[in-house]
Amino acid sequence: MSLRALPPPARRLIAIVFIAVQPAMAGAEPTFDEVKAAARSSELRVLDASGAPLHRLRVDASVRRGDWVALADISPALRRAIVLSEDRRFYEHSGVDWQAVPAAAWANLWNTRTRGASTLSMQLAGLLDEDLRQRTGGRSLPQKIGQAISASGLDGRWKKHEILEAYLNLVPFRGEVVGIDALSRTLFGKAPSGLDEREAAVAAALVRAPNAEPARVSQRACGVWRALQAADAPAEAVTAGAASKAPDCGALDLFVTGALQRRAFDVSEGDAPHLARRLLAESTRIDAALSRQGGSAPADPVRTVRSTLRAPLQRFAVQTLQQHLRELRARHVQDGAVVVLDNASGGVLAWVGSSGELSQAGDVDGVTAPRQAGSTLKPFLYAQAIAQRRLTAASLLDDSPALIPTAGGLYIPQNYDRRFKGWVSVRTALGASLNVPAVRTLVMVSPDAFHRQLVSLGLPLRETGDYYGYSLALGSAEVSLLGLTNAYRALANGGRFGEVSLRPVASSVARGAPPATGRPPVIDPAAAFVVGDILSDPNARARTFGTDSVLATRFWTAVKTGTSKDMRDNWAVGWSQRYTVGVWVGNASGEPMREVSGTHGAAPVWAAVMQYLHAREPSRAPAAPAGLVQTATRFGDNLEAARDEWFLEGTQQPLFAINSGADHQALAGAGGGFDAKNPAAAASWRIRAPAPGTVFALDPDIPPQRQRVQLSASGGGAPAAGLRWRVNGRDVGRGASASWQPWPGRHALQLVAADGTALDELRIEVRGAGVRVGGLARTAAK
């Protein structure tokens, strides 16, 4: 029926309204491109550096709207279903279906149900114009007239496929769900291109009654489904006809009920949830700062952000961390984090904040959470001492018992294998992660100076150097994985510190080259090189970790592990020619792990990520900077093998040795019960080491079965072969010297003669988190 079929008064009224209103509304409709550009997803979409999707995070709680979907990417079945259900003559009319107007008016007069005369163009006009939007109780007559006029304008300026595309992206479907992308992913768990006829029928049914009960939606969907199957041609040529083969709607109720209850479109979905939240927080801070400064923050913030991450690397890091933590589950480990930095640009290439589903605190970001650093701070300490020319890589340090005052009492630091090594070079002390030499080095540098060095490397320590005292050498301060890894990146870049970046920035930095920066280095470049050379030397760490540990790679890398007090945190941080990788494992709750050493916790993940990065990319040792010389060096008394060693120019020497007086003094100072001035006391056996009242703080980097305390006696009067050592009345060794595997608690140590007579006795204490080894409580803590 045409406009001429209407009664004359109706025709005159409509003509008057159109003549009066249309000039004022001419050109008021936005263009298709403007509508598409103004559409905003309710999710923040994070892309990797190449533009590949990485993560989506919901940021608008008032609506659930996905990405704008092109009509070509929407299922043909859905396009047909919408046209059949809402506007059969969509491709024939010019915005208003005048043939449907009389029927709709008659139905409204007699209060009967029909499809109505509202076309897709008219519905879209109502979606685009707030004044034309339907209110409770329906649209008023002026709204309906305005809607018809606006629809005519849209049809005159837009193409039909643009109208259908915009409609499907803007129409509310159910509850908070708006647009076909959100509907497809929420109700059906798939992209809009994959909807079949049954799913398309349900979607079309929801347009008419978005919040209807499942039974009503099912009934409506069945009718649409039948119409789809009855149609022999695409929607452009569909005409009404009887269904040749009616679908089976018997199971549709169950399907609809399940679809309406589905919530597959999670609030956070993808591989980088913690990074997405970080980027959102940064954007919010920037917008707030612009507003405070009188600037113009965007009214509609951009919901797509390109990051510096690499999607394949991110997924590999997530999978590797989760797989390793599954293997450590029996050792009470459930959390971990990984971060990968590009040495040149500072770009974050991987950001894994947690173990995801394995964690009970998956929302906690392990990349930024502060944790005790353990031995990972030692490289910066030695670099500072070398730069100040207090030490060289060949300088000898005494690895013997030393008393360390701390806030919690008097501690004697222990080494990885619970053995003191005596005089060792700085190269061995750092490579083997020996604790006592590190403390002696901090005595030279001072806690305050070392504190300033760490702060200059971007590690904002909470307390002062005096607060931490000499325990700062053993990593008592808390740092974040991101900050620590970036500090190691400074070592990789010759001592130059630079901020990290999460978004790509234009850069002329050459591939693999240090960043061009006007900042002076915060670590002397020559000292940074020496420390890197030590951390890349498998022979330097052999005394503690062996030469074939997981830390040894087939390409050049420098790496350091660390474990905090009571085995609560385990770290592995290191760099190659182009990348710096940091890994932390532990428990977000702060609970201690069990029997997780430096090479069993974070190190395997670090090694796997490094291997992935350099599967097809070489890593070569850096060239020595100016101011360094390499000199053939040997050590007195064969303390260490002769080698070519790096020195800051002016500090080199061919021989490093200790005189006998110093050696004797050191040994005598370690004694406890032996008095060389009392011949009577020397005539009988006395405990020489450990000293009375010694408190042992055990290092968690050591496997429990390798932890030992050396017991030694001196004197005479009885054969040494008959001597026995007892701890709390239990025999633990024989002879003038023995090796005892400690366990936590206060202990009575006795030296007993062959006949059971107690020759000497003293009290000691062992502190740390206990583990069970061989039926006895053992410890692994620093």
Side-chain angles (χ1 to χ4, degrees), residues 174 187 202 206 212-214 217 255-263:
R174 186 171 184 85
L187 265 63
V202 174
L206 289 172
E213 294 296 323
V217 174
F255 174 77
V256 169
T257 301
L260 297 183
Q261 292 176 347
R262 183 182 176 92
R263 290 293 180 268

Side-chain angles (χ1 to χ4, degrees), residues 492-525:
N493 286 330
R496 288 181 171 81
F497 172 79
E499 300 291 345
V500 300
S501 59
L502 298 177
R503 304 190 187 191
V505 292
S507 175
S508 59
V509 177
R511 179 180 173 90
T517 175
R519 294 182 180 181
V522 296
I523 298 177
D524 182 85

